Amino acid sequence: MSKLPSRGSLWKVSVGTTPEAEEAVVEMFARLFGQPAAIYTDLEKHTTVVSVFLPRFGPRHRTGLQRALRELTAAGLNLGRARLSARRIPRENWAESWKRHFKPLEISRQLLVLPSWSRVRAKPGQAVVVLDPGLSFGTGHHPTTSFCLEQIASRRAAGTAQTLLDAGCGSGILAIAATKLGYAPVVAFDFDPDAVRVAKENAAFNAAGLRILRQDLTKLPVAVRKPFDVVCANLMYDLLIQERERLLARLAPEGTLVLAGILNVQFPSVRRAYETAGMKLIAQKMAGEWRSGAFQFRP
């Protein structure tokens, strides 16, 4: 499994915000630093602190984080004071914090996501994905990731051959889960070389046989020979719109396209883009500031 360095201290980087905006801040941290976040909410004070633990944090990182916070505010989110703090802490504090925050996640009777230290036992016939902190974005707890996992599980037809593509795989959680559920072949790719490395390590740890590639969606050929039964794309909403034709070209005529990583205010634009391309929305889920959707071609 991929972990942060085993010695020395870490930077604990935190943003104080509102409970309503916590999911947007979690997503922001994941995209900036490739790390899942820990969340602490004070219900009495109506405040939330979202934190990540990093081996390095310098002026360039601070500037990028401040710019991302301004972009969230410009998108209409109420971040509150959005106070940023960064301090060094002993590594033991990081490990214990993650053991408090990363809990087992049951997606359905078909799928269970666990940290490696959990003693929770899977139900009979339930596929298990094991992940640790320190990995690239994707523990399954974020609503965009959990929606994708739910769709992967619900679209699996036992006893039939089904293929799956994970575009922008991050930690590899979606592709690994698909393999555990019986999809084959499963292909995943990401533009970030660190994400590809981590996804390969996670796949090996889970003994999941799949192809993980470093690829740039914007540079892939539009035409493909073998489309997939399920295509998952948990990406930025503007990329989902910009690269619509490349994603649709990879979807089989009766397949399901799962789109996530979309804010509520952005979802109508994404839906409109895909409906004008002949798709229909067959499932959607709204959680906090996020909305995800599953689409199929109209008959």
Short mmCIF file of all heavy atoms in Angstrom, two decimals, residues 4-12 38 53-54 87-101 117 133:
data_model
loop_
_atom_site.label_atom_id
_atom_site.label_comp_id
_atom_site.label_asym_id
_atom_site.label_seq_id
_atom_site.Cartn_x
_atom_site.Cartn_y
_atom_site.Cartn_z
N LEU A 4 2.55 7.64 3.39
CA LEU A 4 3.45 8.76 3.54
C LEU A 4 4.71 8.29 4.25
O LEU A 4 4.73 7.22 4.85
CB LEU A 4 2.76 9.87 4.34
CG LEU A 4 1.55 10.49 3.64
CD1 LEU A 4 0.81 11.38 4.60
CD2 LEU A 4 1.94 11.26 2.40
N PRO A 5 5.82 9.06 4.19
CA PRO A 5 7.07 8.64 4.81
C PRO A 5 6.88 8.25 6.26
O PRO A 5 6.08 8.83 6.99
CB PRO A 5 7.95 9.89 4.67
CG PRO A 5 7.42 10.60 3.48
CD PRO A 5 5.94 10.37 3.51
N SER A 6 7.63 7.24 6.70
CA SER A 6 7.41 6.65 8.02
C SER A 6 8.10 7.40 9.14
O SER A 6 7.89 7.08 10.30
CB SER A 6 7.87 5.19 8.01
OG SER A 6 9.25 5.12 7.69
N ARG A 7 8.96 8.37 8.84
CA ARG A 7 9.68 9.09 9.87
C ARG A 7 9.41 10.58 9.79
O ARG A 7 8.98 11.11 8.79
CB ARG A 7 11.19 8.84 9.73
CG ARG A 7 11.59 7.37 9.91
CD ARG A 7 13.08 7.20 9.75
NE ARG A 7 13.47 5.81 9.93
CZ ARG A 7 14.72 5.37 9.80
NH1 ARG A 7 15.69 6.22 9.49
NH2 ARG A 7 14.99 4.08 9.97
N GLY A 8 9.74 11.25 10.90
CA GLY A 8 9.60 12.70 10.92
C GLY A 8 8.19 13.16 11.17
O GLY A 8 7.31 12.40 11.55
N SER A 9 7.98 14.46 10.93
CA SER A 9 6.68 15.06 11.17
C SER A 9 5.93 15.26 9.87
O SER A 9 6.48 15.07 8.78
CB SER A 9 6.85 16.40 11.89
OG SER A 9 7.62 17.29 11.10
N LEU A 10 4.68 15.66 9.99
CA LEU A 10 3.83 15.97 8.85
C LEU A 10 3.25 17.36 9.01
O LEU A 10 3.21 17.90 10.12
CB LEU A 10 2.69 14.95 8.75
CG LEU A 10 3.04 13.52 8.39
CD1 LEU A 10 1.84 12.62 8.61
CD2 LEU A 10 3.50 13.42 6.95
N TRP A 11 2.80 17.92 7.92
CA TRP A 11 2.03 19.16 7.97
C TRP A 11 0.55 18.82 8.08
O TRP A 11 0.02 18.05 7.27
CB TRP A 11 2.25 19.98 6.71
CG TRP A 11 3.56 20.70 6.66
CD1 TRP A 11 4.71 20.27 6.06
CD2 TRP A 11 3.85 21.97 7.24
NE1 TRP A 11 5.70 21.19 6.23
CE2 TRP A 11 5.21 22.25 6.95
CE3 TRP A 11 3.11 22.89 7.97
CZ2 TRP A 11 5.83 23.43 7.36
CZ3 TRP A 11 3.72 24.06 8.39
CH2 TRP A 11 5.06 24.32 8.08
N LYS A 12 -0.11 19.36 9.09
CA LYS A 12 -1.57 19.26 9.18
C LYS A 12 -2.13 20.57 8.62
O LYS A 12 -1.97 21.64 9.21
CB LYS A 12 -2.04 19.09 10.62
CG LYS A 12 -3.56 18.98 10.73
CD LYS A 12 -4.00 18.79 12.18
CE LYS A 12 -5.52 18.66 12.27
NZ LYS A 12 -5.99 18.48 13.67
N ALA A 38 -9.64 14.39 6.64
CA ALA A 38 -10.33 14.11 7.90
C ALA A 38 -11.25 15.28 8.21
O ALA A 38 -10.92 16.43 7.92
CB ALA A 38 -9.32 13.92 9.03
N PHE A 53 -3.10 15.68 5.75
CA PHE A 53 -1.78 15.52 6.37
C PHE A 53 -0.76 15.30 5.26
O PHE A 53 -0.84 14.31 4.52
CB PHE A 53 -1.81 14.34 7.34
CG PHE A 53 -2.84 14.52 8.44
CD1 PHE A 53 -4.15 14.13 8.24
CD2 PHE A 53 -2.50 15.10 9.64
CE1 PHE A 53 -5.11 14.30 9.23
CE2 PHE A 53 -3.44 15.28 10.64
CZ PHE A 53 -4.74 14.89 10.43
N LEU A 54 0.21 16.22 5.15
CA LEU A 54 1.10 16.25 4.00
C LEU A 54 2.57 16.22 4.44
O LEU A 54 2.93 16.79 5.47
CB LEU A 54 0.87 17.54 3.19
CG LEU A 54 -0.57 17.84 2.77
CD1 LEU A 54 -0.66 19.24 2.19
CD2 LEU A 54 -1.05 16.81 1.76
N ARG A 87 0.27 23.52 10.31
CA ARG A 87 1.25 23.34 11.39
C ARG A 87 1.81 21.92 11.33
O ARG A 87 1.18 21.00 10.83
CB ARG A 87 0.60 23.58 12.75
CG ARG A 87 -0.55 22.64 13.11
CD ARG A 87 -1.20 23.04 14.41
NE ARG A 87 -2.33 22.18 14.75
CZ ARG A 87 -2.23 21.08 15.48
NH1 ARG A 87 -1.05 20.69 15.96
NH2 ARG A 87 -3.31 20.36 15.76
N ARG A 88 3.03 21.79 11.86
CA ARG A 88 3.67 20.47 11.91
C ARG A 88 3.15 19.68 13.11
O ARG A 88 2.94 20.24 14.18
CB ARG A 88 5.19 20.62 12.00
CG ARG A 88 5.84 21.08 10.71
CD ARG A 88 7.35 20.99 10.82
NE ARG A 88 8.01 21.38 9.61
CZ ARG A 88 8.24 20.57 8.57
NH1 ARG A 88 7.84 19.31 8.63
NH2 ARG A 88 8.86 21.00 7.50
N ILE A 89 2.99 18.37 12.90
CA ILE A 89 2.55 17.50 13.99
C ILE A 89 3.35 16.20 13.93
O ILE A 89 3.84 15.82 12.87
CB ILE A 89 1.04 17.17 13.91
CG1 ILE A 89 0.73 16.41 12.62
CG2 ILE A 89 0.20 18.43 14.01
CD1 ILE A 89 -0.66 15.82 12.60
N PRO A 90 3.47 15.49 15.06
CA PRO A 90 4.12 14.17 15.03
C PRO A 90 3.32 13.20 14.18
O PRO A 90 2.09 13.28 14.09
CB PRO A 90 4.10 13.74 16.51
CG PRO A 90 3.92 15.00 17.27
CD PRO A 90 3.09 15.91 16.41
N ARG A 91 4.02 12.28 13.54
CA ARG A 91 3.36 11.31 12.66
C ARG A 91 2.31 10.48 13.38
O ARG A 91 1.27 10.13 12.81
CB ARG A 91 4.41 10.38 12.05
CG ARG A 91 3.83 9.23 11.26
CD ARG A 91 4.88 8.61 10.39
NE ARG A 91 5.39 9.62 9.48
CZ ARG A 91 4.79 9.95 8.34
NH1 ARG A 91 3.68 9.37 8.00
NH2 ARG A 91 5.30 10.87 7.56
N GLU A 92 2.52 10.19 14.65
CA GLU A 92 1.56 9.36 15.37
C GLU A 92 0.19 10.01 15.42
O GLU A 92 -0.84 9.35 15.37
CB GLU A 92 2.06 9.09 16.79
CG GLU A 92 3.30 8.20 16.86
CD GLU A 92 4.58 8.95 16.48
OE1 GLU A 92 4.54 10.19 16.38
OE2 GLU A 92 5.61 8.28 16.28
N ASN A 93 0.13 11.36 15.50
CA ASN A 93 -1.15 12.05 15.52
C ASN A 93 -1.91 11.84 14.21
O ASN A 93 -3.13 11.71 14.19
CB ASN A 93 -0.94 13.55 15.75
CG ASN A 93 -0.45 13.84 17.15
OD1 ASN A 93 -0.18 12.92 17.91
ND2 ASN A 93 -0.29 15.11 17.47
N TRP A 94 -1.16 11.82 13.10
CA TRP A 94 -1.79 11.61 11.79
C TRP A 94 -2.41 10.21 11.73
O TRP A 94 -3.55 10.03 11.32
CB TRP A 94 -0.73 11.78 10.71
CG TRP A 94 -1.14 11.25 9.37
CD1 TRP A 94 -1.98 11.84 8.47
CD2 TRP A 94 -0.74 10.01 8.78
NE1 TRP A 94 -2.12 11.05 7.36
CE2 TRP A 94 -1.36 9.93 7.52
CE3 TRP A 94 0.09 8.97 9.19
CZ2 TRP A 94 -1.18 8.85 6.68
CZ3 TRP A 94 0.27 7.89 8.35
CH2 TRP A 94 -0.37 7.85 7.11
N ALA A 95 -1.64 9.21 12.13
CA ALA A 95 -2.13 7.83 12.04
C ALA A 95 -3.37 7.63 12.89
O ALA A 95 -4.35 7.03 12.45
CB ALA A 95 -1.03 6.86 12.48
N GLU A 96 -3.36 8.15 14.11
CA GLU A 96 -4.50 7.97 14.98
C GLU A 96 -5.71 8.74 14.48
O GLU A 96 -6.85 8.30 14.60
CB GLU A 96 -4.15 8.40 16.41
CG GLU A 96 -3.18 7.46 17.09
CD GLU A 96 -3.67 6.01 17.06
OE1 GLU A 96 -4.84 5.77 17.38
OE2 GLU A 96 -2.87 5.13 16.71
N SER A 97 -5.48 9.92 13.90
CA SER A 97 -6.59 10.71 13.34
C SER A 97 -7.27 9.92 12.24
O SER A 97 -8.50 9.86 12.16
CB SER A 97 -6.08 12.05 12.81
OG SER A 97 -7.13 12.75 12.18
N TRP A 98 -6.49 9.28 11.36
CA TRP A 98 -7.11 8.52 10.29
C TRP A 98 -7.86 7.31 10.79
O TRP A 98 -8.90 6.94 10.27
CB TRP A 98 -6.07 8.12 9.25
CG TRP A 98 -6.18 9.07 8.12
CD1 TRP A 98 -5.33 10.08 7.78
CD2 TRP A 98 -7.28 9.17 7.21
NE1 TRP A 98 -5.83 10.78 6.72
CE2 TRP A 98 -7.02 10.24 6.34
CE3 TRP A 98 -8.45 8.46 7.04
CZ2 TRP A 98 -7.88 10.62 5.33
CZ3 TRP A 98 -9.32 8.83 6.03
CH2 TRP A 98 -9.02 9.90 5.19
N LYS A 99 -7.37 6.68 11.84
CA LYS A 99 -8.09 5.52 12.38
C LYS A 99 -9.42 5.94 12.97
O LYS A 99 -10.36 5.15 13.01
CB LYS A 99 -7.22 4.82 13.42
CG LYS A 99 -6.08 4.05 12.79
CD LYS A 99 -5.34 3.20 13.80
CE LYS A 99 -4.23 2.41 13.12
NZ LYS A 99 -3.51 1.52 14.06
N ARG A 100 -9.54 7.20 13.41
CA ARG A 100 -10.83 7.70 13.92
C ARG A 100 -11.79 8.03 12.79
O ARG A 100 -12.99 7.89 12.92
CB ARG A 100 -10.61 8.93 14.80
CG ARG A 100 -9.94 8.65 16.13
CD ARG A 100 -10.09 9.82 17.08
NE ARG A 100 -9.55 11.04 16.53
CZ ARG A 100 -8.29 11.45 16.70
NH1 ARG A 100 -7.44 10.70 17.38
NH2 ARG A 100 -7.87 12.58 16.17
N HIS A 101 -11.25 8.51 11.65
CA HIS A 101 -12.12 9.04 10.61
C HIS A 101 -12.41 8.08 9.47
O HIS A 101 -13.45 8.20 8.83
CB HIS A 101 -11.50 10.33 10.04
CG HIS A 101 -11.55 11.49 10.96
ND1 HIS A 101 -10.52 11.79 11.83
CD2 HIS A 101 -12.51 12.41 11.19
CE1 HIS A 101 -10.84 12.87 12.54
NE2 HIS A 101 -12.04 13.26 12.17
N TRP A 117 -6.89 -1.91 8.96
CA TRP A 117 -6.89 -2.25 10.39
C TRP A 117 -8.28 -2.68 10.90
O TRP A 117 -8.42 -3.10 12.03
CB TRP A 117 -6.42 -1.05 11.22
CG TRP A 117 -7.23 0.18 11.00
CD1 TRP A 117 -8.44 0.50 11.55
CD2 TRP A 117 -6.89 1.28 10.15
NE1 TRP A 117 -8.89 1.71 11.10
CE2 TRP A 117 -7.95 2.23 10.24
CE3 TRP A 117 -5.80 1.57 9.33
CZ2 TRP A 117 -7.93 3.43 9.53
CZ3 TRP A 117 -5.79 2.77 8.64
CH2 TRP A 117 -6.85 3.68 8.75
N PRO A 133 -5.07 4.95 4.55
CA PRO A 133 -4.79 6.38 4.35
C PRO A 133 -3.44 6.54 3.66
O PRO A 133 -2.60 5.66 3.66
CB PRO A 133 -4.77 6.94 5.76
CG PRO A 133 -4.47 5.78 6.62
CD PRO A 133 -5.10 4.60 5.97
#
